Every structure is written in C-alpha cells, then in structure tokens.
Amino acid sequence: MSGLNGTLYPKIMFVAEAPGRLGADRTRKPFFGDKSGENFDKLLASIGLSRRDIFITNSILCSPRSLSGANRRPKLAEIKNCSPFLKRTIELVNPPVIATLGAVALSAIELIEPHGLKLAGSAGKDFLWNGRRLVPLYHPSPQTVAAQRGLELQLRHFRILAGFI
C-alpha cells in the first residue's frame, strides 16, 4: 500500500522540516516538485531506493511562510503543536529506521523522546532512539548542497544509511 507519503510498511521513515511552498505545499507530496525533491530523489536512487520503499513526513504539516511569502524555518511553538501527530505517525508506521533530514527534524523528534544529538556532530551516524535506529542527515535543499555539506557528503551519508536496511 502506497500513498503520497510512501508505503505504510517502509524500510526507512524520513522526517523532514515542513512542506515547501514550491513542493509539497503545492503538490501534497513531500519532497516533490522542487529542487529539494529532485535532490532527495537522487539521494534515494543512489542507494537503490524509491518512494515505494520509504515513508516520508514532516515535523510540521503546514507550510511556514515569511511576510514576503518565502519559506521560513518553523517556530518551536509550531513544532510543539505538531509533535503529537508526528509521534502518532511514527507509532503507526513503526519503521525500523528513522532518518531525519536537517536540524529542525532532528530537534522535532527530541520532543518525542530525548536523544541529546546535534546535527553537526551526528550527521551520517546511527543511534538507538525510541526502540529503533536513528540516522540524522542533512536536508537536501539547494542551499545545503551548495554549502560545505555538499552532495558528495550527503551521498556518503546515504550509503551509510543503506547499511541499516
């Protein structure tokens, strides 16, 4: 069984930040229709996965916008407001591995079960969290890929992730 978020029986659940205004907010499909989605699909394909193999959700389910209409980082209050829904989604899907995409997603799952991790020191490593494996990853946004955390580093991290499937 597969829907916009992927399969209900995933090998990995990805938790991202929020629906982007050019991607999921428009298409209703997480990481689809924008450059972040293109990068995400490349990263998945690099380890032989497709959206049929995964489940993907967000830390918050609305698209946070600045006054100009651009995407903005979710506020802590918004993350806390959506935390019970994220917790229930994790419980229902019950994935063996969770990969967070970016610092916001990593901090969002901290509200469900503390882990004490920071993205800079934890990216691409695995941890035990809430009865399953947790692999923090960088967000596949164009800004992140263009920075020193480029696509090559993200490809290496995804290969590490593939080792847990």
Side-chain angles (χ1 to χ4, degrees):
M1 177 178 277
S2 187
L4 293 177
N5 293 69
T7 180
L8 295 178
Y9 307 99
K11 296 176 180 182
I12 301 171
M13 174 187 272
F14 288 90
V15 178
E17 184 173 303
R21 68 182 166 82
L22 298 176
D25 195 42
R26 186 176 50 80
T27 66
R28 301 294 179 233
K29 188 175 183 179
F31 276 113
F32 186 81
D34 60 8
K35 189 63 177 166
S36 294
E38 288 175 28
N39 290 340
F40 182 69
D41 284 343
K42 286 178 191 174
L43 292 164
L44 281 179
S46 77
I47 58 171
L49 290 179
S50 74
R51 289 175 181 263
R52 292 182 309 274
D53 303 311
I54 67 161
F55 187 93
I56 184 165
T57 190
N58 286 300
S59 302
I60 68 168
L61 299 177
C62 62
S63 179
R65 308 275 180 91
S66 67
L67 291 176
S68 70
N71 292 338
R72 69 163 168 78
R73 186 181 185 108
K75 296 177 181 173
L76 181 58
E78 293 166 327
I79 296 169
K80 284 182 177 180
N81 188 49
C82 289
S83 185
F85 185 80
L86 178 59
K87 179 181 184 201
R88 189 67 180 132
T89 302
I90 292 170
E91 290 169 351
L92 289 169
V93 176
N94 195 25
V97 179
I98 292 181
T100 55
L101 297 168
V104 170
L106 185 60
S107 65
I109 67 165
E110 174 93 27
L111 296 173
I112 295 168
E113 180 73 30
H115 53 63
L117 303 172
K118 299 291 180 208
L119 186 59
S122 305
K125 299 175 185 169
D126 78 294
F127 303 89
L128 220 54
W129 176 81
N130 203 20
R132 63 196 86 238
R133 287 197 180 279
L134 167 64
V135 181
L137 300 169
Y138 290 112
H139 192 283
S141 72
Q143 296 86 351
T144 303
V145 170
Q148 64 273 31
R149 298 174 298 271
L151 196 56
E152 274 308 311
L153 176 62
Q154 291 187 8
L155 287 166
R156 281 198 311 272
H157 288 173
F158 265 70
R159 284 190 294 274
I160 292 166
L161 177 64
F164 303 118
I165 310 171

